[in-house]
Amino acid sequence: MFARYAIILLLAGVSFAFAAESADSVSDIPLPKQSAYTGKGFTVGIGMGVFDASEKCDCVGIWQGQADYFYTPWFSGGVEVRFFGGEMDSRTSVLYQRYRLSGKFHLSFSNFSMYLSPLMGLETTDISELREQWKNRSKNGDDIDDIDDDDEIASVADSAIRATNCEKMFSLDGFSAGLEFGMGYAFPKYLGVFGAVHYEHNFNNSQLLTMTPGLGFNLRSVWDWAQKNTYSLWFTVEGGFQRYFHRGVSDWNRALIIGFTLGI
């Protein structure tokens, strides 16, 4: 039993020693969606924030995570998940999920890196409460035919339009395929900047355009342990500007996400 634990501790020590020896020799450049270019190993990231679908919808929460593995310094592959959830108004809630598989072709120069990434994805949406609400709105006293006052009719009609447009924002059920171009730059000390342009076609005959700028703070630059035992450790603030091209939706969506990236 003692020998087994001794072997485990020895292997752990060797792995940390290898990390300590090689961590300083790799690139460390922040990339969008809590990712980073290191050229080797794994990168994992997690973030959370707020998502404003449009001026006609209430803000909802957004959570996202990613994991990438560098097969070579010029190619990595990984997965990405996103969850949108919250109340779109006082009676309606939504849970929207996006899953992505992607490969990234990297080109790196010193502190600068860029990539081109084909991707495939799946969207699933739980808007049963929303659909049930409008299907049975007469039971709640909201049937326009039963309202006599013109102002009340206008108010109910406006609420119906608002909820219908919000539903369209979160109803891209099915498979999608797309392409993303991104880049990042790490300044010599503490900061890094990054951005991406993302186009996606959903097989529900919808398109999505996303622009993602961001700023990162390099935690490895102020933490000795991280310098010796990690390839990358960033705290990031990321914005997002999205536009859906389908079903008459013309609003730009906005998001603000804070997160962490770890390379090992």
Side-chain angles (χ1 to χ4, degrees):
M1 182 65 69
F2 175 79
R4 179 184 303 177
Y5 286 118
I7 292 173
I8 293 174
L9 290 175
L10 179 61
L11 291 175
V14 170
S15 65
F16 275 106
F18 176 78
E21 180 182 356
S22 59
D24 291 334
S25 65
V26 301
S27 299
D28 182 15
I29 304 169
L31 294 176
K33 302 176 184 176
Q34 288 75 58
S35 184
Y37 177 81
T38 61
K40 60 171 62 178
F42 285 95
T43 64
V44 294
I46 188 170
M48 62 182 299
V50 294
F51 180 79
D52 183 13
S54 75
E55 295 180 356
K56 301 174 183 177
C57 310
D58 291 341
C59 292
V60 297
I62 179 173
W63 300 263
Q64 66 182 26
Q66 66 83 26
D68 272 313
Y69 177 73
F70 282 87
Y71 297 94
T72 72
W74 56 270
F75 179 77
S76 67
V79 296
E80 171 194 335
V81 296
R82 267 193 169 191
F83 298 94
F84 304 79
E87 295 183 349
M88 294 195 299
D89 57 37
S90 59
R91 295 181 300 174
T92 306
S93 62
V94 63
L95 176 60
Y96 182 47
Q97 306 159 62
R98 310 190 77 196
Y99 304 89
R100 295 287 176 272
L101 292 174
S102 64
K104 292 186 176 75
F105 295 91
H106 300 270
L107 185 61
S108 179
F109 305 96
S110 184
N111 291 335
F112 174 78
S113 179
M114 58 184 176
Y115 67 88
L116 185 65
S117 173
L119 55 90
M120 296 188 65
L122 172 68
E123 291 85 11
T124 63
T125 309
D126 181 4
I127 51 175
S128 57
E129 294 186 28
L130 177 66
R131 290 167 176 162
E132 190 69 17
Q133 173 188 342
W134 290 103
K135 179 180 178 182
N136 301 316
R137 60 187 180 277
S138 60
K139 298 179 181 179
N140 299 323
D142 291 341
D143 196 331
I144 293 180
D145 293 336
D146 297 333
I147 301 176
D148 297 326
D149 186 85
D150 291 340
D151 291 336
E152 290 187 59
I153 292 175
S155 176
V156 171
D158 180 68
S159 297
I161 293 171
R162 182 170 61 252
T164 301
N165 285 336
C166 289
E167 177 181 346
K168 292 175 182 179
M169 296 285 185
F170 299 99
S171 58
L172 293 181
D173 288 5
F175 290 96
S176 62
L179 195 65
E180 179 174 296
F181 173 75
M183 62 183 64
Y185 179 79
F187 292 97
K189 272 292 186 179
Y190 307 110
L191 298 178
V193 293
F194 53 84
V197 177
H198 173 115
Y199 171 80
E200 198 165 344
H201 176 79
N202 182 271
F203 293 105
N204 198 16
N205 292 323
S206 303
Q207 293 83 39
L208 172 65
L209 176 66
T210 306
M211 294 180 289
T212 307
L215 177 69
F217 178 77
N218 190 353
L219 295 175
R220 292 181 74 243
S221 63
V222 296
W223 190 4
D224 290 340
W225 182 91
Q227 291 178 14
K228 296 177 180 179
N229 298 292
T230 68
Y231 294 147
S232 179
L233 188 61
W234 290 88
F235 170 77
T236 59
V237 179
E238 183 175 281
F241 302 92
Q242 298 180 342
R243 170 75 186 272
Y244 290 91
F245 296 90
H246 72 120
R247 306 174 193 170
V249 176
S250 59
D251 294 321
W252 281 92
N253 310 324
R254 295 168 293 275
L256 181 65
I257 300 170
I258 60 174
F260 292 91
T261 303
L262 172 65
I264 53 177

